[in-house]
Amino acid sequence: MTTVADIVKTMQSKFNAGAAAGLDLVFQFNIEDGENHYLVVKDGTCELQQGDAANANVTLIMNTETLKGITSGETDGMQAFMGGKLRAEGDMMLAMKLGELFPV
């Protein structure tokens, strides 16, 4: 079984540093059936941390299956959001930026 850490590491490997130039953002992933992680995107770098960020710009709430589907490209993030499988708190526009930062 794929763990949340494995899925987020896969995301990190797809990181598009060019799209992150000049950014300073924290993406929190709250996983309902697994452990929470967050990504710190700063000036073209991406750092993965386990747990909860104190200062997340946007928090995405979903289950492991939804996260796996979105990161693999099998699930469209917008469809997951519209279908209630993905919730976002904070700056909603930043959630849209994830597609540029982590292309599938």
Side-chain angles (χ1 to χ4, degrees), residues 2-91:
T2 307
T3 68
V4 174
D6 293 336
I7 297 167
V8 180
K9 283 178 188 162
T10 300
M11 246 181 101
Q12 193 177 21
S13 72
K14 297 175 182 177
F15 180 62
N16 176 3
L23 295 181
D24 186 1
L25 303 171
V26 178
F27 295 93
Q28 175 74 45
F29 297 89
N30 287 356
I31 308 303
E32 297 165 329
D33 59 348
E35 63 274 358
N36 293 346
H37 285 79
Y38 60 96
L39 289 168
V40 178
V41 176
K42 186 169 185 164
D43 293 326
T45 65
C46 174
E47 182 184 340
L48 169 65
Q49 297 287 329
Q50 185 171 349
D52 298 317
N55 56 347
N57 298 93
V58 63
T59 300
L60 302 169
I61 305 154
M62 68 196 96
N63 65 23
T64 304
E65 182 182 337
T66 302
L67 178 64
K68 185 177 180 182
I70 290 171
T71 57
S72 69
E74 294 173 26
T75 303
D76 178 69
M78 186 55 75
Q79 287 179 338
F81 180 77
M82 299 303 262
K85 293 183 177 186
L86 167 65
R87 297 187 320 275
E89 296 174 355
D91 190 336

Side-chain angles (χ1 to χ4, degrees), residues 11 14 16 19 27 70 93-104:
M11 246 181 101
K14 297 175 182 177
N16 176 3
F27 295 93
I70 290 171
M93 294 312 290
L94 291 179
M96 306 296 282
K97 192 137 188 78
L98 280 171
E100 293 173 42
L101 294 171
F102 303 96
V104 210

